[in-house]
């Protein structure tokens, strides 16, 4: 098979992935601005945007900054990084201005529904008295200010990442005193509803429910906090938030366990370099100078001024204080006829392959399968990979039950799942104490595959039942992430699935995968082969198509080959939720490539690869995006859909998404997030249409079974 690399090929364009990621977060802002979404949901989208931006600075911007700081490598790459950082800062500023405007719009909309977000300046005398009492009874016990006079407090080490703080300035006859107060959002709700009998303002005979942020409760009572300890004539407080580099260095010394290393890594993150300082734009210049001096922020750090409230990510969970119509209606999960018509999960999977699509189908089918395995006398072994799990995981509790029932249970626990390390460490300890064999995988590779393999003794031989999915075994995220789970006992798949688990434990042994697409080592040549096959078909005059759905597309070699495929006449359709470094629609280079992105109520998370293959279409589900890290630096698994019925389901779903003309955006040469034009066509909002599709699939089968 011919190999294609960027060094051998032409000046194909590659859009910077950092700017593409910001484009994605711009689409999240579009959802917040979309008046078709309920008002509370719009506010929550602002929280999602803020949370995304925090991660962007912790990971992407931190990486760019590190490249700039490597002064000893004075290369053009460093110059490019400096230029890229400037572009990032400009785009972030533009998005921030749009964010503030949308927030004001949503506040006005909420007022129409008798919900008002107020600050402490608007409190009546009665409300002020209530807030001061609330502060003394509920808030004060959670606050211990950091005083900045002297050298005792090292602010660079004391401030936690992405936590809301207030900087306090006390002015009097002597020199100013400064302090830092942490807003205790871990202990208290950030959104305080004032008692209705204090909400004297009415509209149409109804109380206007007034909401005060915890930040404002503290600011309103800030003088009470410091009185008696400091002499001051004037005191003021302004919000700030620090974002740190999310990378960490872990010692390779042999006398530490991996868990201890990871715990050390988390501590290092809390003390790692600042990447961004976000502060209230009203903060006086002298206070900002003191803050910058304390933190040692440099010209390469992003200093971002904004509104009075920082850490907007808490708005993801903003309560609905009004009518139910202000939020999305609850989703009634659909039944899986394939599971429901059988007594046990194993009977169902033995009858035929089963495909579940979350959150349209219930994740309970997976947890029930593991629960049944925990006590089924025929089950002898359970093997599973864990990347991100819920804090109260029913899956892990069933695995612990399985050990108590004498089953052999092994869990590949990925301790390096970014931002979930501490939760995974705690679970790893609990599982080890419970008798589960916990495997930490390969030291140099994250295990990102979503696998479960259950061995059952049937008629004197071992039969494997397997699961390969696109999403984590997490009950919470399964409610809001769109993902697929394939359940199968086809031996050609489960035999190779067993090899993947063996590879994780014994990577030095040789393995051959004929069906699964396994990263690393085997995935890149397989993907290049599948794309090249479509190129060869196009060159021979045959129909050739590629349809891809991923979260991110940012691998140079694959993008380069897709450009060549476009030039050969291969029709390429891409559904990319997040980063897309490929530039579509360039005449003579990528004019056969079309890219859309869909953002809606649920986070599109599934990865699907479709290759036309001269009419013998191949469809794969995978845990891997088309990024270098997923292909070369992680353990990922893709599985072909062998059942023709399930394959058609997948193609139908992708067709619905491709025809979305409500929530789909065009990712064209300008990356301007233009919505797909509806024209005179019927309105298609793909997530709603997909729910309807699965509802139609489920109902007739259930009816047939009950007749």
């Amino acid at each position: 098979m011919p190999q294609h690399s960027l060094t051998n090929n032409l000046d194909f364009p590659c859009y910077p992935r950092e700017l593409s990621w910001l484009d994605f977060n711009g689409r999240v802002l579009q959802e917040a601005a979309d008046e078709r979404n309920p008002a509370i949901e719009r506010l929550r989208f602002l929280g999602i945007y803020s949370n995304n931006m925090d991660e962007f600075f912790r990971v992407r911007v931190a990486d760019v900054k590190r490249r700039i700081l490597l002064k000893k490598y004075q290369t053009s790459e460093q110059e490019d990084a400096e230029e890229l950082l400037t572009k990032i800062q400009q785009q972030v500023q533009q998005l921030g201005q749009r964010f503030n405007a949308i927030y004001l719009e949503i506040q006005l909309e909420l007022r129409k529904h008798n919900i008002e977000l107020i600050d402490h300046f608007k409190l009546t005398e009665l409300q002020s008295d209530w807030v001061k009492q609330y502060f003394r009874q509920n808030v004060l016990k959670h606050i211990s200010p950091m005083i900045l006079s002297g050298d005792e407090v090292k602010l660079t080490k004391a401030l936690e990442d992405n936590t809301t703080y207030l900087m306090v300035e006390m002015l009097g006859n002597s020199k100013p005193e400064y302090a830092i107060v942490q807003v205790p959002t871990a202990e208290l709700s950030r959104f305080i509803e004032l008692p209705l009998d204090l909400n004297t303002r009415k509209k149409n005979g109804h109380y206007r429910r007034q909401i005060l942020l915890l930040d404002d409760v503290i600011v309103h009572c800030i003088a009470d906090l410091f009185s008696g300890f400091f002499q001051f004539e004037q005191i003021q407080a302004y919000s700030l938030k620090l974002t740190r580099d999310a990378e960490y260095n872990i010692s390779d010394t042999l006398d530490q366990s991996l868990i201890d290393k990871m715990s050390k890594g988390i501590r290092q993150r809390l003390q790692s370099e600042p990447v961004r300082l976000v502060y209230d734009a009203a903060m006086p210049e002298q206070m900002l100078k003191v803050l910058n001096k304390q933190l040692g922020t440099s010209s390469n750090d992003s200093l971002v001024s904004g509104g009075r409230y920082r850490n907007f990510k808490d708005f993801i969970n903003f309560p609905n204080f009004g009518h139910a119509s202000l939020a999305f209606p609850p989703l009634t999960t659909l039944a899986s006829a394939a599971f429901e018509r059988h007594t046990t999960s194993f009977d169902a999977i033995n009858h035929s392959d089963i495909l579940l699509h979350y959150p349209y189908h219930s994740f309970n089918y997976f947890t029930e399968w593991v629960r049944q395995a925990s006590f089924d006398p025929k089950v002898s072994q359970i093997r599973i990979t864990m990347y991100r799990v819920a804090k109260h995981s029913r899956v892990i509790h069933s695995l612990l039950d399985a050990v108590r029932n004498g089953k052999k249970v092994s869990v590949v626990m990925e301790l390096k799942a970014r931002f979930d390390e501490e939760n995974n460490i705690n679970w790893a300890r609990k599982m080890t104490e419970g008798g589960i064999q916990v495997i930490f995988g390969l030291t140099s590779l994250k295990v990102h595959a979503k696998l479960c393999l259950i061995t059952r003794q049937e008629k004197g031989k071992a039969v494997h039942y397997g699961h390969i999915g696109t999403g984590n075994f997490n009950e919470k995220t399964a409610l809001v992430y769109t993902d697929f789970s394939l359940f199968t006992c086809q031996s050609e798949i489960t035999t190779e699935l067993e090899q993947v688990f063996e590879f994780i434990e014994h990577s030095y042994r040789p393995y051959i995968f004929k069906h699964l697409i396994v990263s690393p080592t085997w995935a890149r040549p397989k993907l290049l082969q599948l794309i090249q096959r479509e190129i060869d078909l196009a060159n021979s005059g045959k129909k050739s198509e590629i349809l891809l759905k991923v979260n991110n597309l940012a691998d140079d070699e694959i993008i380069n080959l897709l450009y060549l495929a476009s030039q050969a006449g291969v029709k390429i359709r891409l559904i990319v939720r997040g980063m897309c470094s490929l530039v579509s629609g360039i005449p003579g280079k990528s004019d056969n490539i079309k890219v859309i992105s869909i953002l809606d109520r649920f986070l599109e998370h599934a990865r699907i690869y479709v290759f036309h293959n001269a009419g013998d279409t191949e469809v794969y589900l995978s845990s891997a995006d088309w990024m270098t890290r997923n292909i070369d630096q992680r353990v990922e698994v893709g599985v072909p859909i062998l059942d023709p019925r399930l394959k058609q389901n997948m193609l139908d779903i992708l067709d619905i998404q491709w025809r979305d003309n409500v929530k789909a955006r065009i990712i064209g040469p300008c990356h301007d997030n233009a919505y797909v034009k509806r024209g005179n066509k019927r309105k298609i909002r793909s997530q709603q249409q997909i729910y309807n599709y699965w509802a139609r699939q489920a109902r007739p089968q259930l009816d047939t079974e009950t007749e």
Side-chain angles (χ1 to χ4, degrees), residues 300-560:
N300 289 329
D301 299 306
S302 295
L303 305 177
V304 183
S305 62
R308 63 184 294 110
Y309 303 118
R310 308 277 31 97
N311 230 5
F312 221 86
K313 67 178 183 180
D314 292 333
F315 281 74
I316 293 175
N317 298 312
F318 189 85
N320 184 3
F321 295 101
H323 192 271
S325 62
L326 293 178
F328 289 131
L331 179 75
T332 302
T333 54
L334 300 168
S336 166
F339 274 116
E340 293 291 343
R341 62 175 169 239
H342 293 280
T343 304
T344 73
S345 300
F346 295 100
D347 291 341
I349 300 169
N350 188 272
H351 182 267
S352 66
D353 286 0
I354 300 175
L355 185 71
L356 296 182
H357 193 184
Y358 312 122
Y360 311 108
H361 294 122
S362 173
F363 188 72
N364 289 341
Y365 289 111
F366 177 80
T367 57
E368 175 61 16
W369 178 47
V370 179
R371 189 193 71 83
Q372 291 180 17
S374 72
F375 65 86
D376 183 347
K378 295 182 179 179
V379 169
S380 57
Q381 185 175 15
I382 304 173
R383 283 171 278 187
I384 191 171
T385 61
M386 294 284 188
Y387 192 75
R388 301 189 195 277
V389 294
K391 289 187 177 181
H392 305 285
S393 174
R394 283 180 290 154
V395 175
I396 293 181
H397 284 299
S398 290
L399 297 177
L400 292 168
D401 289 339
V403 171
R404 287 189 280 267
N405 279 313
K407 319 295 184 188
K408 182 180 180 182
V409 179
S410 58
V411 175
V412 179
M413 175 60 78
E414 182 49 72
L415 296 183
K416 298 187 290 293
R418 183 181 283 136
F419 309 132
D420 273 311
E421 299 95 339
E422 188 169 4
N423 184 48
N424 288 3
I425 288 171
N426 292 335
W427 273 122
R429 287 190 171 122
K430 186 169 184 178
M431 287 189 290
T432 301
E433 292 168 358
I436 294 175
Q437 180 190 16
V438 179
I439 302 164
F440 299 120
L442 305 167
T443 56
S444 59
L445 301 170
K446 286 185 179 182
V447 179
H448 190 248
K450 323 299 182 184
L451 312 176
C452 184
L453 186 66
I454 298 176
T455 304
R456 202 166 183 257
Q457 303 301 316
E458 298 177 0
K459 298 179 180 179
K461 65 177 183 178
V463 177
H464 295 310
Y465 290 79
H467 168 283
I468 303 174
T470 67
N472 298 303
F473 300 124
N474 187 315
E475 296 92 329
K476 183 177 179 180
T477 57
L479 297 173
V480 290
Y481 287 21
T482 68
D483 275 305
F484 285 96
S485 283
L486 177 70
F487 299 80
T488 184
C489 62
Q490 295 197 52
S491 59
E492 56 263 58
I493 300 298
T494 58
T495 299
E496 293 190 10
L497 189 54
E498 186 175 29
Q499 288 188 58
V500 175
F501 280 100
E502 292 176 0
F503 165 71
I504 293 171
E505 290 193 68
H506 311 289
S507 59
Y508 54 87
R509 295 177 182 172
Y511 300 95
I512 298 175
F513 297 100
K514 295 182 179 179
H515 300 281
L516 301 183
I517 301 178
V518 182
S519 298
T521 306
W522 301 274
R524 183 172 295 278
K526 178 64 174 180
L527 293 174
L528 294 177
Q529 176 194 9
L530 291 169
I531 298 171
Q532 184 63 46
R533 186 179 63 188
E534 297 300 318
I535 294 175
D536 295 340
L537 289 169
N539 287 333
S540 63
K542 296 180 181 179
K543 183 178 179 180
S544 57
E545 289 185 16
I546 297 172
L547 176 55
L548 173 69
K549 174 180 169 59
V550 290
N551 297 333
N552 300 294
L553 173 58
D555 180 82
D556 289 344
E557 186 173 18
I558 285 182
I559 289 173
N560 198 40

Side-chain angles (χ1 to χ4, degrees), residues 87 121 138 167 205 285 298 307 357-358 371 442 468 529 541 591 613 649 661:
K87 292 180 179 179
F121 296 111
N138 300 284
M167 185 166 183
E285 185 176 349
S298 69
H357 193 184
Y358 312 122
R371 189 193 71 83
L442 305 167
I468 303 174
Q529 176 194 9
D591 41 3
N613 190 28
N649 288 151
N661 53 25

Side-chain angles (χ1 to χ4, degrees), residues 17-284:
R17 63 180 186 174
E18 292 83 2
L19 298 183
S20 181
W21 193 99
L22 286 175
D23 292 336
F24 156 67
N25 218 20
R27 295 192 284 277
V28 177
L29 268 190
Q30 286 180 322
E31 288 301 300
D34 192 340
E35 295 180 358
R36 295 170 296 187
N37 290 328
I40 296 294
E41 300 295 350
R42 294 175 63 192
L43 199 58
R44 291 169 180 170
F45 273 116
L46 289 183
I48 294 171
Y49 167 90
S50 179
N51 187 62
N52 289 348
M53 195 64 79
D54 291 344
E55 184 172 339
F56 174 72
F57 273 88
R58 296 169 81 180
V59 180
R60 303 293 173 193
V61 176
D63 178 66
V64 175
K65 180 186 172 184
R66 282 196 303 273
R67 283 151 53 189
I68 294 173
L69 292 177
L70 292 175
K71 298 291 186 183
K72 59 182 178 179
Y73 301 108
Q74 293 289 346
T75 64
S76 58
E77 182 179 350
Q78 179 189 345
E79 295 173 2
D80 291 343
E82 290 176 343
E83 181 182 354
L84 177 59
L85 183 59
T86 299
K87 292 180 179 179
I88 288 171
Q89 291 169 335
Q90 291 172 347
Q91 194 164 340
V92 167
Q93 185 177 16
Q94 293 171 359
L95 290 171
Q97 292 171 351
R98 180 65 177 136
F99 177 99
N100 292 335
I102 295 170
Y103 180 47
L104 291 175
E105 292 174 8
I106 297 173
Q107 285 181 286
L108 292 173
E109 179 64 24
L110 287 174
R111 287 194 189 108
K112 296 178 183 178
H113 297 278
N114 297 320
I115 298 174
E116 183 178 22
L117 290 162
I118 65 171
D119 57 42
H120 67 104
F121 296 111
K122 297 181 180 180
L123 295 174
T124 65
E125 185 175 349
L126 285 175
Q127 290 173 333
S128 175
D129 292 341
W130 183 89
V131 169
K132 288 181 179 180
Q133 183 180 9
Y134 180 86
F135 175 79
R136 288 191 296 269
Q137 293 180 350
N138 300 284
V139 183
L140 186 60
K141 59 188 174 184
H142 298 298
I143 295 179
S144 181
M146 291 180 281
I147 310 303
L148 301 185
S149 58
D151 298 326
E152 290 80 7
V153 175
K154 302 295 184 183
L155 207 56
T156 52
K157 294 184 178 181
L159 294 189
E160 296 181 9
D161 188 37
N162 280 328
T163 299
T164 304
Y165 292 98
L166 298 170
M167 185 166 183
V168 181
E169 181 183 58
M170 293 170 277
L171 301 175
N173 295 327
S174 59
K175 66 177 182 178
E177 291 281 359
Y178 295 96
I180 296 290
V181 174
Q182 181 176 341
V183 180
T185 54
E187 293 79 16
L188 298 167
S189 170
R190 198 170 175 200
F191 309 105
I192 313 299
E193 182 182 6
L194 298 177
L196 286 178
D197 57 353
L198 298 180
N199 294 341
T200 56
R201 304 174 190 179
K202 296 183 180 181
K203 181 180 179 182
N204 299 329
H206 298 286
Y207 280 107
R208 175 172 285 173
R209 308 181 79 159
Q210 294 179 307
I211 314 302
L212 187 71
L213 263 69
L214 182 59
D215 317 35
D216 276 311
V217 172
I218 298 172
V219 173
H220 188 64
C221 304
I222 199 70
D224 297 341
L225 179 62
F226 289 95
S227 293
F229 301 97
F230 296 89
Q231 298 295 324
F232 54 86
E233 296 177 358
Q234 180 183 346
I235 186 169
Q236 53 188 345
Y238 299 89
S239 63
L240 66 97
K241 178 179 68 174
L242 189 70
T243 304
R244 297 182 183 275
D245 188 338
E247 291 301 322
Y248 43 84
N249 296 314
I250 300 174
S251 170
D252 289 325
T253 53
L254 298 177
D255 59 345
Q256 284 182 290
S257 71
L258 183 57
I259 290 181
D260 290 338
K261 292 181 187 180
M262 290 304 305
S263 298
K264 181 180 179 182
I266 294 172
R267 292 195 299 271
Q268 288 176 348
R269 173 177 298 163
L270 294 176
Q271 300 175 6
S272 59
E273 288 297 314
V275 178
R276 176 183 60 158
L277 173 64
V278 188
Y279 60 93
D280 186 341
M283 181 181 291

